[in-house]
Amino acid sequence: MVYIVEDDASFRKSMERLIRKAGYEVEAFGTANEFLTSADIRYPGCLLLDVQLPDTDGLTLQQTLNEKCSILSIVFMTGQGSIPMGIKAIKSGAVDFLVKPFKSDELLTAVREALERSTNGAAEALEKDSVNALLKTLTPRENEVLRYVIAGKLNKQTAFELGTCEKTIKVHRSRIMKKTKVSSLADLVRLAQKVDIQPVD
C-alpha cells in the first residue's frame, strides 16, 4: 500500500494516478489527521509525505508514527526543503527526501525502495516477536545464565560467578537450549543478538 499525504489537491491527484498506473494500491489524504484517522499503520507500506501540511508538519507526523512503532517507510516531499531538514528526516528513518519538482522515475524508485524496506522491517519485527516469545519462557535465573553462555563463559566460570555449582549451570544451560529451540551455541548467540541481549563483561 502507498499512502500520500499532500495538501495540494492537483499535485496529490497527479501522484495518485502515476502510482496507481505503476501497479500499486493508493490512498491519498490532504491532512495528517485524515491519514492517522483512516490509514492502518500496523502493516508494511510507503508513505509519501509533504513536509508542510495544514494541521502539522511532516517531521512531527514522522515522530508520531515512530512513537506508534509504525513500520511504514516514509519518503518526504517538499518545495522548500533544506539540507538540515533532510538530514533530520533521514536520521529519523526516512527513505528519501525529494525536492519538488521531481521526476516521475525518481518518485517511483523511492516508492519501490520504501516498500522493500518496509516489508523487510515487517519480517524482522515478526522474527523479533517470535524470539521474545521463546525468551519469555525462561526463568529469571535462566535469563541470567543465558548472558554468561553467550559470552562464551565455561560452566565452571559461570557457576563460580553466580555462586552455585557447575552441575546446576549445566541443567540451566540445557533448559535454555531446549526452550529457545536451538541446537548450538552459535545459534543461541545469533538468537540473542536479534533482540539485543548483551553478554556479561
Side-chain angles (χ1 to χ4, degrees):
M1 174 65 74
V2 178
Y3 296 105
I4 302 169
V5 182
E6 163 66 60
D7 62 325
D8 184 323
S10 62
F11 186 64
R12 183 172 68 243
K13 287 177 182 176
S14 67
M15 280 199 302
E16 191 174 355
R17 283 194 299 269
L18 173 66
I19 293 165
R20 205 179 297 280
K21 187 177 179 181
Y24 300 109
E25 288 185 74
V26 188
E27 286 187 29
F29 307 92
T31 68
N33 188 55
E34 288 174 5
F35 166 74
L36 288 172
T37 301
S38 303
D40 194 338
I41 63 172
R42 298 172 299 169
Y43 297 101
C46 167
L47 171 59
L48 298 172
L49 179 58
D50 191 20
V51 169
Q52 298 297 332
L53 296 166
D55 52 348
T56 186
D57 64 86
L59 293 175
T60 300
L61 178 55
Q62 180 187 33
Q63 183 179 346
T64 299
L65 292 173
N66 287 341
E67 289 170 356
K68 292 177 179 290
C69 299
S70 169
I71 56 174
L72 289 173
S73 289
I74 299 174
V75 175
F76 276 100
M77 308 172 294
T78 181
Q80 48 187 356
S82 66
I83 291 176
M85 188 183 294
I87 291 173
K88 184 176 181 181
I90 298 297
K91 281 185 175 180
S92 297
V95 173
D96 210 340
F97 194 86
L98 303 178
V99 179
K100 302 173 186 175
F102 42 76
K103 296 179 181 178
S104 298
D105 59 345
E106 285 183 273
L107 178 64
L108 293 176
T109 296
V111 167
R112 281 193 294 271
E113 184 180 342
L115 288 170
E116 183 178 347
R117 185 185 295 187
S118 183
T119 301
N120 291 340
E124 289 174 9
L126 284 173
E127 190 173 24
K128 279 189 176 183
D129 287 345
S130 176
V131 170
N132 281 321
L134 292 174
L135 293 174
K136 280 182 180 178
T137 66
L138 301 183
T139 65
R141 188 60 155 179
E142 287 166 352
N143 272 300
E144 194 174 13
V145 172
L146 170 62
R147 296 183 62 230
Y148 283 85
V149 174
I150 62 175
K153 300 281 187 180
L154 299 174
N155 290 337
K156 186 182 294 185
Q157 292 174 297
T158 304
F160 176 78
E161 293 189 33
L162 294 180
T164 187
C165 66
E166 186 177 351
K167 184 178 179 181
T168 299
I169 297 301
K170 284 182 179 178
V171 171
H172 283 314
R173 186 169 181 150
S174 175
R175 287 176 178 168
I176 290 168
M177 301 289 278
K178 185 176 181 180
K179 288 181 178 182
T180 56
K181 301 179 181 179
V182 298
S183 56
S184 69
L185 174 58
D187 287 340
L188 187 63
V189 170
R190 281 191 286 269
L191 182 140
Q193 287 175 335
K194 287 174 183 175
V195 289
D196 300 320
I197 292 178
Q198 299 300 314
V200 295
D201 295 329

